[in-house]
Amino acid sequence: MSEQTTAAPGVRPATGRLRSANSTRAIHGQRRAFWLFIAPFLIGLVVFVYFPIAWSAFLSFFDAQGTVTPTKFVGLGNYTTMLTDKAFVSSLVTFSAFALLIVPTTFVMSLFLAMLVNRVRVARAFFRSVFFLPTACSYVVASLIWKLSIFNGVRFGMANTLLGWIGVEPISWLASLDPPWYWLVIVTARLWLQAGFYMILFLAALQNINPELYEAAYVDGAKPGWQVFRHITLPLLRPTSISVLLLCLIAAYQAFDEFYNLLGAVEYARPPLVYLYHLALGSQQNFGLGSAGSLILAAIIAVVTVLQGKILGFGKPGD
Amino acid sequence: MDAHQPTAVGYRRSVTDRIANGAGLAVLLVMTLLFLIPFYLLIRNGLASTKDITAPGWTLFPRDVQWHNLVDLFNDPEVPMLSSLRNSAIVAVLTTAGTLLVCSLAGYALARINHPHSNKIFYAVLATLMIPGAVTFVPSFVIVSWLGWVSDYRGLIIPALFSGFTVFLFRQYFLSFPKELEEAARIDGLGYGGTFWRIVVPNSGNFIAAIAVITFIQSWNAFLWPLVVAQDESAWTVQVTLSTFITAQTINIPQLFMAAAVSILPLVLVFVFLQRYLVQGVAQTGLKG
């Protein structure tokens, strides 16, 4: 390409005409190639992402029980039903509480593990693998281990066995509302599953920090430990920290698997997706209400994501 | 004086360092134990008898190991273990292959082929990143049921292929691909397709492997969408099967743990042999949320 361009001024007019015919053909070829490359994805995006949302918006204005081609228009009825539905509103509260619990704990745990692994001199790859290994587990498998073994409410559950050794009566971890022990079960399961993932991100960032900065801080009299961490490490990790917080929050929005498998459909801890699942795919098959709920949730998430991006100075497209 | 100070400081530093290192190592070992407990329980309970598990006190490891739990699992007519493993394998492999194909082509077009609408399309892709896919499972199910793809591989696989995020990752990667290689290929007379398949793809092995590993794990572990779509037992993936028995009234605990152990085996293998790509994939996906 570049050779042709530099040669261009020297060529005679006849060749110039040929070139422009060539380049028109080239542009046609280019446009055709663009569509050929992008068409499979674009068609799928329209059919399986944009069209469902549009159809859902349509359904949300109809009484659509057990049908996806409804005839009874109800206007904003589904939206007012959902927004005044105590169960739906409480699911939004559950989900906010969950985000408040899981995001900071994951952040602290993954950063803590990354710093430990980063400074250890022996068997670093081994430790990294151990903390990363749960990434290979599904939420279903973790729920199974947590529900039926670690936090089994009967006497032979692991946590209850340990408590038994110090003379504490067995606790029914998932059924107890006061204190709400189920949060311990839910949060530790996800913490175990995802801490290693975020640890990898922090580890990569830590290894990019120039060691000379620490030496300079030492020479300037900064005490190793908290001072160095607070004034050197943490500021340098800022971009990664923001990524981790956002990714963690986005993952928390989608909480379904562990709630569904650990708690079923109990009313005291039912995040929106679990509620919508039972509404739209349970015996009611209420696609109208389910669609309205999905769209309300999507709108909330989109607003929060944009606001968060603005506040944290993140999320400009293309960088 | 001046000559002594650095050594004195260096000495003090190395003592505190050594203490800090020792403490760090001790904490690491404790965390390692904690993180391995779930895997230990998977194996302990999977190889135990129900009597061992429910006995008072804690047996560290089953006194007589019940290897037949594994055989029973596959012979139990109540548990569709084999068919759900097969379903998971087919779905995960085809989802990975399809995602790589569709998303790499789109990412390449957005990165490297000029087109007046290129930006508009890119923004349409970015817009989907604001709304997590799981949130719109009701709308997606509506379309899939209208297409008649409920309890069908098509319903499990096809809607999962169009990941805006993966396209975004491929676009970012191709933007940093050395342009000179492509230009050389064009001068040699290769078109866009030829350049992509013969030059770009063969030189992007690491990145493609990283995305493949991540996609495979996500697909194998996916739960909500298979739960929604695979309504007939014959279409259950292994996650749906496990979940059904977690919530069932009558549970055979050892058998269920054995099933869970079997279900994570493929991913543990991926993890052991492809960890390099996995770590790279995680770093890639995390660079930009």
Side-chain angles (χ1 to χ4, degrees):
Chain A
M1 279 294 271
S2 55
E3 282 98 319
Q4 279 177 10
T5 325
T6 45
V11 295
R12 290 206 308 260
T15 342
R17 250 203 323 275
L18 193 74
R19 259 182 53 76
S20 86
N22 262 342
S23 67
T24 325
R25 209 185 306 153
I27 284 179
H28 278 293
Q30 195 177 38
R31 295 200 173 167
R32 217 177 50 128
F34 181 82
W35 288 119
L36 278 177
F37 272 65
I38 210 157
F41 176 74
L42 213 51
I43 293 168
L45 190 71
V46 170
V47 174
F48 293 105
V49 180
Y50 281 104
F51 184 58
I53 293 174
W55 196 340
S56 214
F58 166 78
L59 285 178
S60 71
F61 295 114
F62 284 83
D63 177 12
Q65 273 209 46
T67 172
V68 293
T69 48
T71 49
K72 199 173 152 214
F73 185 75
V74 294
L76 290 171
N78 286 326
Y79 287 92
T80 50
T81 307
M82 285 310 276
L83 288 170
T84 51
D85 177 357
K86 276 208 182 86
F88 183 66
V89 174
S90 95
S91 79
L92 292 173
V93 174
T94 297
F95 140 88
S96 312
F98 178 58
L100 281 176
L101 288 169
I102 192 69
V103 174
T105 44
T106 304
F107 182 87
V108 170
M109 174 69 102
S110 51
L111 179 54
F112 179 66
L113 291 176
M115 296 197 53
L116 284 175
V117 171
N118 189 45
R119 66 166 301 150
V120 76
R121 302 244 171 87
V122 288
R124 183 182 292 168
F126 166 77
F127 288 119
R128 193 190 66 180
S129 299
V130 166
F131 301 131
F132 192 42
L133 191 58
T135 310
C137 264
S138 70
Y139 279 91
V140 179
V141 169
S143 303
L144 186 153
I145 300 168
W146 259 244
K147 183 181 185 178
L148 298 177
S149 198
I150 300 180
F151 291 107
N152 198 329
V154 294
R155 199 167 284 275
F156 63 79
M158 187 177 180
N160 281 338
T161 303
L162 291 172
L163 289 178
W165 289 345
I166 55 168
V168 178
E169 283 300 298
I171 293 171
S172 57
W173 300 97
L174 289 166
S176 155
L177 288 180
D178 186 30
W181 287 116
Y182 60 87
W183 280 122
L184 180 71
V185 185
I186 292 271
V187 169
T188 50
R190 184 174 280 237
L191 200 56
W192 179 73
L193 281 166
Q194 69 177 12
F197 179 94
Y198 298 111
M199 176 201 71
I200 296 287
L201 299 185
F202 277 126
L203 208 51
L206 283 172
Q207 280 160 0
N208 277 337
I209 296 178
N210 187 345
E212 282 174 18
L213 283 171
Y214 289 111
E215 278 160 34
Y218 177 73
V219 170
D220 288 349
K223 289 194 193 74
W226 176 251
Q227 247 186 5
V228 168
F229 173 74
R230 170 73 188 76
H231 294 289
I232 307 231
T233 313
L234 212 49
L236 287 170
L237 288 179
R238 190 179 144 83
T240 311
S241 302
I242 292 171
S243 283
V244 168
L245 288 176
L246 272 182
L247 285 171
C248 202
L249 192 67
I250 290 170
Y253 289 147
Q254 309 183 56
F256 176 85
D257 300 8
E258 73 266 53
F259 283 92
Y260 179 92
N261 286 299
L262 286 168
L263 293 158
V266 294
E267 274 166 32
Y268 52 86
R270 187 165 56 182
L273 289 187
V274 176
Y275 183 58
L276 292 176
Y277 173 80
H278 287 287
L279 195 63
L281 287 134
S283 53
Q284 288 194 53
Q285 297 256 315
N286 198 327
F287 295 122
L289 279 180
S291 296
S294 282
L295 292 176
I296 293 170
L297 189 64
I300 294 172
I301 291 175
V303 168
V304 173
T305 310
V306 169
L307 277 182
Q308 218 196 6
K310 285 241 155 60
I311 292 164
L312 297 170
F314 180 81
K316 292 180 202 77
D319 60 15
Chain B
M1 261 303 264
D2 277 357
H4 280 284
Q5 215 162 8
T7 39
V9 169
Y11 175 71
R12 229 183 17 244
R13 199 178 171 189
S14 82
V15 169
T16 46
D17 255 20
R18 237 180 267 172
I19 295 169
N21 284 344
L25 193 61
V27 177
L28 263 183
L29 287 171
V30 172
M31 296 305 290
T32 299
L33 276 181
L34 286 175
F35 267 71
L36 289 178
I37 284 176
F39 292 108
Y40 152 69
L41 291 171
L42 212 50
I43 297 164
R44 170 195 181 260
N45 296 347
L47 292 175
S49 63
T50 309
K51 217 174 78 206
D52 266 345
I53 293 177
T54 54
W58 188 264
T59 38
L60 205 57
F61 207 72
R63 268 169 295 249
D64 42 349
V65 173
Q66 312 283 315
W67 288 109
H68 65 88
N69 285 350
L70 182 62
V71 183
D72 294 352
L73 174 65
F74 286 95
N75 287 336
D76 189 337
E78 301 280 303
V79 186
M81 195 61 196
L82 205 58
S83 75
S84 56
L85 281 172
R86 193 181 58 225
N87 290 338
S88 281
I90 291 173
V91 169
V93 168
L94 292 182
T95 301
T96 306
T99 302
L100 289 178
L101 180 69
V102 167
C103 296
S104 67
L105 285 170
Y108 187 75
L110 290 172
R112 279 292 199 256
I113 309 179
N114 287 326
H115 192 276
H117 296 311
S118 181
N119 267 342
K120 273 178 231 157
I121 293 173
F122 184 52
Y123 282 112
V125 173
L126 283 186
T128 64
L129 300 187
M130 285 204 301
I131 300 166
V135 173
T136 52
F137 76 91
V138 177
S140 301
F141 176 71
V142 168
I143 301 298
V144 163
S145 71
W146 179 74
L147 287 167
W149 290 356
V150 173
S151 294
D152 187 304
Y153 284 137
R154 285 171 299 180
L156 285 165
I157 297 166
I158 295 175
L161 301 181
F162 309 101
S163 155
F165 189 52
T166 310
V167 169
F168 175 80
L169 291 175
F170 269 114
R171 174 186 175 272
Q172 299 307 94
Y173 170 76
F174 289 134
L175 282 176
S176 66
F177 189 87
K179 233 180 182 142
E180 300 75 31
L181 279 178
E182 288 164 89
E183 278 164 6
R186 306 303 300 284
I187 288 166
D188 288 348
L190 285 178
Y192 282 100
T195 309
F196 181 74
W197 289 114
R198 295 203 204 161
I199 307 297
V200 177
V201 169
N203 283 298
S204 304
N206 279 353
F207 183 79
I208 292 172
I211 300 285
V213 170
I214 294 269
T215 310
F216 183 84
I217 291 180
Q218 278 172 355
S219 179
W220 184 273
N221 284 342
F223 176 61
L224 174 54
W225 185 245
L227 178 71
V228 167
V229 176
Q231 303 194 339
D232 294 344
E233 193 183 290
S234 62
W236 287 357
T237 62
V238 72
Q239 309 298 340
V240 177
T241 301
L242 287 175
S243 168
T244 307
F245 287 93
I246 297 174
T247 41
Q249 294 301 316
T250 51
I251 314 177
N252 180 340
I253 292 185
Q255 196 171 323
L256 193 50
F257 275 83
M258 181 53 91
V262 170
S263 83
I264 69 165
L265 204 61
L267 295 193
V268 170
L269 292 179
V270 165
F271 195 88
V272 170
F273 292 107
L274 301 172
Q275 192 177 154
R276 186 161 73 89
Y277 301 113
L278 184 55
V279 169
Q280 193 195 342
V282 169
Q284 294 282 1
T285 48
L287 282 181
K288 174 71 201 294

